[in-house]
Amino acid sequence: MRKLTPLSKLNIVVPSGNKWWIVASLMSFRGNYALSVDAKGRMAIPKKFRDVVAVESNNAIVLTIDVSKKCLSLYLEPEFSEKEEQIMNLKGAVQNPIVRDLQRVFVGLAHTLELDGQGRFLVPKSIQKFFPLEKSMVLVGQMSRFEIWRETDWDAFLAEAFAEESGNETTEALDDLVL
């Protein structure tokens, strides 16, 4: 197997003769995948994403608690560093308790983890204390990051999202969106 080589921040390519072929893109974490949690609190990244993690992040991922939903956020290390810098440099952070709380949770509970040879990572006890794991979890792609949901919370979120009442509300942000 050839070693994957990044051509740019967004694409991973492999050389083939005198051509380069794009085989993955950082911006392609989509879909949702069932995850099993073992007795030690480990779960595995799906095989199709492991090369991206290996090349773009040297197998380093950052896991933290999502501050807006009942889930965890999983970033490649370079992506997390960008978000961390943005959050730590928010204006008025010292005076605004909401911003300080965001910094404390997002950055203060973040852990840099390394995937083992089977693509697994161990969820630290400090995260499990505030976000208890279930045997069945769901990995949800969000383009440049993943969310990790307890299966029961993900099902409840989807049920609410597809409820008739929620379909009647619209926001200006979605007015121009055509799917």
Side-chain angles (χ1 to χ4, degrees):
M1 181 176 165
R2 295 177 191 244
K3 184 178 180 191
L4 298 177
T5 308
L7 179 64
S8 73
K9 181 177 179 185
L10 299 179
N11 297 316
I12 296 176
V13 298
V14 293
S16 176
N18 62 353
K19 295 182 180 179
W20 290 79
W21 298 94
I22 296 175
V23 295
S25 171
L26 255 185
M27 307 310 278
S28 64
F29 294 151
R30 351 182 133 87
N32 63 78
Y33 307 85
L35 297 179
S36 295
V37 179
D38 70 13
K40 295 179 181 179
R42 294 179 300 192
M43 56 185 87
I45 298 286
K47 286 183 182 180
K48 69 185 283 182
F49 299 116
R50 291 181 195 164
D51 285 340
V52 175
V53 175
V55 171
E56 291 293 327
S57 198
N58 198 27
N59 278 332
I61 55 174
V62 179
L63 185 67
T64 191
I65 295 178
D66 189 293
V67 294
S68 62
K69 296 287 181 190
K70 294 179 179 179
C71 66
L72 300 174
S73 289
L74 181 67
Y75 293 86
L76 297 181
E77 202 286 323
E79 179 72 17
F80 180 82
S81 292
E82 290 179 21
K83 298 296 181 198
E84 179 179 47
E85 185 175 333
Q86 291 173 359
I87 288 172
M88 295 311 290
N89 291 320
L90 287 171
K91 292 181 180 178
V94 175
Q95 300 85 9
N96 188 332
I98 294 171
V99 173
R100 288 294 299 136
D101 288 349
L102 170 66
Q103 292 170 334
R104 285 183 185 105
V105 172
F106 187 82
V107 177
L109 291 176
H111 289 270
T112 300
L113 309 170
E114 191 168 320
L115 298 182
D116 68 12
Q118 296 175 331
R120 297 177 302 186
F121 61 94
L122 175 66
V123 178
K125 295 290 184 194
S126 59
I127 288 181
Q128 291 186 47
K129 179 179 178 181
F130 298 104
F131 188 85
L133 302 176
E134 293 178 352
K135 201 146 186 70
S136 296
M137 305 290 283
V138 180
L139 184 77
V140 181
Q142 293 294 292
M143 299 304 284
S144 63
R145 67 183 174 89
F146 290 106
E147 293 177 343
I148 300 174
W149 291 71
R150 290 180 287 255
E151 186 176 41
T152 53
D153 291 338
W154 177 246
D155 290 346
F157 169 78
L158 290 178
E160 184 178 323
F162 289 115
E164 276 190 45
E165 303 84 47
S166 66
N168 295 330
E169 296 177 18
T170 186
T171 65
E172 287 183 34
L174 300 178
D175 285 346
D176 294 330
L177 180 65
V178 178
L179 299 176

